[in-house]
Amino acid sequence: MLETNNTSAVPSGAAKAGQEAGAACSCQKPAPHFPEQVTGMYVLARALKTIGIDTIYGLVGIPITEAAYIAQGQGIRFVGFRHEQQAGMAAATHGFMTGKPGVLMTVSSLGFMNGLTATANATVNCYPMIQISGSSVREPIDLLQGTYEGLDQLNVAKPVVKAAYRVNRAEDIPTGVVRAYRAAISGRPGGVYLDITTPALGQVLDHDVAEALLQMPVDLAPSMIPAPESVDRAVKMLASAKKPAILVGKGAAQARVEDLVKTLVEKTGVPFYPMSMAKGILPDNHPLSAISARSTIMEDADVVMLVGARLNWLLSRGHGKWNKEGKFIQLDIDPEEIDSNRHIDAPVIGDLRSSLEAIIAGLDNVKMEMDPAWVSGIQNESKVKNAKFLERLQPKTVPMTHWSALGAAKKVLEANPDVILVNEGANTLDDTRDSIDMFLPRHRVDCATWAIMGMGMGSCVGAAVATGKSVVAIEGDSAFGFSGMDFSTICRFNLPVTVCVFNNGGIYNGIGEPLDKTTDPAPTTLDINARYDKLGEAFGAKTYYVTTPDEFQAALTEAVASKKPCLIDVQLAADAGKESGHIGYLNPTPLIDITV
Ligand code: ADP
Ligand code: TZD
Ligand code: MG
């Protein structure tokens, strides 16, 4: 029986596994004599704790099992998943919610690669997260000698992450942690990879030596003040516009600048348009919300101010419908983003809080020249469109369509505005985004910039754990399939999460027909008769199977109120939904064309 000290209790079974990890990599070392001696894994847990990490999402095995136990012993919450990709999505969502890096811990080779998908996605979306992975002994990897789970992980990670570091000695672990943390949150946030080799994890150090290595870095998130001339240029451009608009992105949600966005919008009276995950920074029903007038803004605005939003594919990269004469002001922390797609007339490089403060102060010295008819025009257009849109949600069609189901969900979610909404799918994504108004910042998490499926269950866990709030996920049946097994993690941790599976029997819908004479299902077809609620039963959740909007509304109301894991199978019609949802125009060939 291994002796333990009271800060790093490790069960004897776990310690044995650690010794075998050493044996497997031909680097067997004597077990440390606790409490005078500790391992690299202890140093890792202490370094994370010292820098303020309170949660690790992961999936254990050789060589990191003990690291997770030790972290728990240090008071860090370890949330164990069934698949590393989901643990990574949880860490990324944790980063988005808190502004501090979420931490993912993975085993070597495939565990690392499974998690890397989420770290890459975090990088693309500018979410701060750190993936820490154990890796096998270097020498046989470098000589391609076929070692246990051998993979040159650092070099695999490099092209898809913001930064990547490897630690080969336990003494360097605190430095590795601090560098990873700074890289994840400084400038444009992103996913960072920290590779720690098995020998470094197993290395024995004196306890006192280990403690002396720990460091608390100073000024982890310093202000990045914009240049006064950039601010001046932007202020003048906004003030002189006749038809200005403010376009708010999820960068503003992460920067937690809702107070300043409100001041800017209300002080200037300029209409604003929120990107998907920026919904709720100001309430969607704010009098200056232009959420229903996207085309008008694109076609007619003469000055558009981007606040933490990129002119990427989600905004037609600044081309297409956009007014060719229109000017852009862009507030961003990353100078390399400027001019990436379209000429930016007034870049303001700095952290959003500093930039917005400077711009708001600068507005005191200028007069807004906005045409009042521009605002009233957008408000009238919004009124007409919103009324028409509401009609779409009214019919109590059975079997349900996305719209009739969302008519029910809208009532429950808007009555519970503090519930965080997780959302993925094609039609299920687009129609939910358009139907459900948001009233609070950072209350909507979706498949975002990469439009990926498979963020659902992980993001539910990350959102619930990071905030302590209730979560509702609205998932397409295909989307749910990517992460469904991690509904069990929601149950094991007894989180207040309700998952609604919109079952239309397929990817986009359930009526796809194979083109040739095969008896196999069509490529888009899943299972319209699948009972996803039964899957919830397996893990002890409260489950519902609903076929009408009224049943759905009642079930969702009860589920949210219960603050317990719940799964609702929402039965839709197989013909509900169109190919690729709202982005069918991105298909190289519309499905209809390949049938002729
Ligand atoms: P959306 O998808 O909502 O349009 P994007 O992810 O495309 O948003 O853009 C977010 C932008 O916000 C990125 O360009 C990123 O560099 C920027 N950003 C993130 N955090 C900050 C911050 N604290 N200050 C300034 N810009 C930020
Ligand atoms: N794989 C991954 C990782 N990401 C993707 N985006 C896709 C595949 C392709 N894809 C989409 O772009 S949406 C979607 C897939 C498979 C699922 C749509 O079906 P759904 O939603 O059931 O989730 P609807 O309501 O039926 O449209
Ligand atoms: Mg579907």
Side-chain angles (χ1 to χ4, degrees):
M1 178 71 187
L2 193 72
E3 284 179 34
T4 60
N5 71 3
N6 55 9
T7 53
S8 62
V10 180
S12 58
K16 187 163 175 285
Q19 289 161 15
E20 282 162 7
C25 65
S26 71
C27 59
Q28 189 158 20
K29 295 226 163 56
H33 293 288
F34 292 113
E36 308 87 44
Q37 289 184 317
V38 293
T39 60
M41 291 184 257
Y42 172 87
V43 180
L44 175 61
R46 292 283 293 134
L48 291 169
K49 174 91 176 166
T50 304
I51 207 166
I53 299 298
D54 55 16
T55 308
I56 296 173
Y57 303 90
L59 202 166
V60 299
I62 296 170
I64 57 147
T65 310
E66 291 73 22
Y69 273 100
I70 295 171
Q72 275 190 332
Q74 290 291 321
I76 296 176
R77 196 165 188 200
F78 184 85
V79 183
F81 278 72
R82 308 300 291 264
H83 194 283
E84 293 87 352
Q85 181 179 321
Q86 291 314 304
M89 295 296 176
T93 300
H94 189 110
F96 172 73
M97 290 290 168
T98 62
K100 295 186 183 146
V103 174
L104 161 67
M105 195 182 274
T106 55
V107 303
S108 30
S109 69
L110 204 59
F112 152 77
M113 297 242 279
N114 288 342
L116 189 62
T117 307
T119 312
N121 185 55
T123 306
V124 168
N125 281 287
C126 318
Y127 304 144
M129 79 171 265
I130 303 171
Q131 177 177 359
I132 300 174
S133 191
S135 62
S136 297
V137 184
R138 293 277 348 129
E139 292 83 348
I141 292 177
D142 292 344
L143 257 177
L144 296 178
Q145 289 176 311
T147 189
Y148 171 76
E149 292 189 356
L151 178 71
D152 187 359
Q153 296 172 190
L154 183 71
N155 284 311
V156 171
K158 271 181 187 166
V160 294
V161 297
K162 185 179 174 199
Y165 308 95
R166 178 185 291 138
V167 171
N168 292 294
R169 308 181 308 155
E171 293 87 337
D172 293 330
I173 289 174
T175 303
V177 166
V178 169
R179 297 208 68 187
Y181 194 106
R182 281 198 184 276
I185 58 161
S186 59
R188 168 181 283 173
V192 174
Y193 177 58
L194 181 61
D195 190 277
I196 310 185
T197 62
T198 297
L201 289 168
Q203 189 183 326
V204 175
L205 298 170
D206 283 347
H207 179 266
D208 295 348
V209 171
E211 290 290 326
L213 293 167
L214 302 174
Q215 39 178 303
M216 183 54 209
V218 176
D219 215 3
L220 273 169
S223 301
M224 311 268 286
I225 313 285
E229 56 273 24
S230 305
V231 173
D232 200 41
R233 191 186 295 119
V235 167
K236 286 189 180 133
M237 198 168 287
L238 185 66
S240 62
K242 301 283 179 283
K243 299 177 174 181
I246 295 169
L247 214 147
V248 189
K250 65 179 176 296
Q254 289 206 84
R256 308 176 92 82
V257 290
E258 47 272 15
D259 53 335
L260 297 176
V261 173
K262 180 174 159 67
T263 306
L264 175 71
V265 166
E266 293 180 356
K267 183 169 175 158
T268 57
V270 173
F272 71 95
Y273 178 90
M275 300 299 289
S276 186
M277 284 175 59
K279 274 164 69 87
I281 287 181
L282 289 181
D284 279 341
N285 64 355
H286 188 284
L288 289 168
S289 168
I291 198 162
S292 307
R294 179 183 161 108
S295 294
T296 302
I297 285 183
M298 289 172 89
E299 288 162 22
D300 296 341
D302 57 355
V303 171
V304 173
M305 179 184 264
L306 300 162
V307 181
R310 286 171 285 186
L311 271 181
N312 56 16
W313 71 278
L314 288 158
L315 290 169
S316 311
R317 299 198 289 108
H319 301 290
K321 268 189 182 178
W322 283 99
N323 176 5
K324 290 191 178 33
E325 312 302 321
K327 293 188 169 155
F328 281 94
I329 302 166
Q330 186 162 26
L331 278 55
D332 207 289
I333 202 154
D334 186 359
E336 289 181 36
E337 181 58 33
I338 307 304
D339 295 332
S340 55
N341 279 292
R342 178 167 165 163
H343 175 69
I344 300 297
D345 303 86
V348 182
I349 304 304
D351 74 275
L352 279 177
R353 181 156 291 281
S354 302
S355 296
L356 285 167
E357 277 171 356
I359 286 171
I360 289 165
L363 284 165
D364 286 340
N365 310 319
V366 291
K367 190 172 165 307
M368 289 298 292
E369 293 175 22
M370 182 168 62
D371 179 357
W374 165 244
V375 182
S376 55
I378 286 178
Q379 286 172 331
N380 291 337
E381 177 186 342
S382 301
K383 217 173 277 167
V384 173
K385 282 195 177 155
N386 290 348
K388 211 165 157 203
F389 190 84
L390 273 182
E391 278 171 28
R392 196 184 268 186
L393 303 180
Q394 294 308 323
K396 300 212 163 173
T397 330
V398 175
M400 286 184 277
T401 63
H402 293 80
W403 300 116
S404 57
L406 285 165
K410 182 176 173 70
K411 292 187 191 123
V412 183
L413 292 173
E414 293 183 7
N416 292 280
D418 202 23
V419 166
I420 294 170
L421 177 58
V422 170
N423 187 202
E424 61 176 336
N427 297 277
T428 302
L429 173 85
D430 296 331
D431 298 350
T432 303
R433 185 185 53 236
D434 290 352
S435 304
I436 312 286
D437 284 344
M438 305 304 299
F439 301 95
L440 294 169
R442 295 171 294 285
H443 277 59
R444 189 183 152 83
V445 187
D446 62 35
C447 37
T449 307
W450 246 359
I452 46 90
M453 299 300 109
M455 44 68 70
M457 298 307 102
S459 289
C460 287
V461 173
V465 168
T467 66
K469 295 186 179 193
S470 294
V471 178
V472 167
I474 300 193
E475 300 269 311
D477 54 332
S478 166
F480 178 69
F482 289 75
S483 69
M485 191 65 189
D486 265 302
F487 183 73
S488 70
T489 304
I490 292 168
C491 295
R492 236 170 341 113
F493 285 81
N494 196 24
L495 298 171
V497 176
T498 298
V499 176
C500 311
V501 181
F502 275 26
N503 187 7
N504 62 353
I507 299 173
Y508 314 133
N509 56 47
I511 54 169
E513 282 183 26
L515 296 184
D516 59 4
K517 293 196 188 92
T518 171
T519 53
D520 289 341
T524 48
T525 299
L526 296 172
D527 189 351
I528 189 75
N529 296 315
R531 289 288 299 268
Y532 293 99
D533 51 316
K534 305 269 180 202
L535 215 139
E537 271 173 30
F539 301 107
K542 174 90 175 127
T543 62
Y544 305 83
Y545 172 67
V546 298
T547 57
T548 69
D550 288 345
E551 282 172 13
F552 183 28
Q553 187 180 337
L556 187 55
T557 304
E558 188 178 286
V560 169
S562 77
K563 296 193 184 299
K564 296 259 179 252
C566 296
L567 202 156
I568 307 178
D569 183 323
V570 184
Q571 183 66 63
L572 304 190
D575 63 357
K578 59 184 178 190
E579 200 206 346
S580 301
H582 293 193
I583 55 172
Y585 66 92
L586 291 174
N587 272 335
T589 317
L591 193 52
I592 195 90
D593 284 2
I594 54 172
T595 61
V596 291

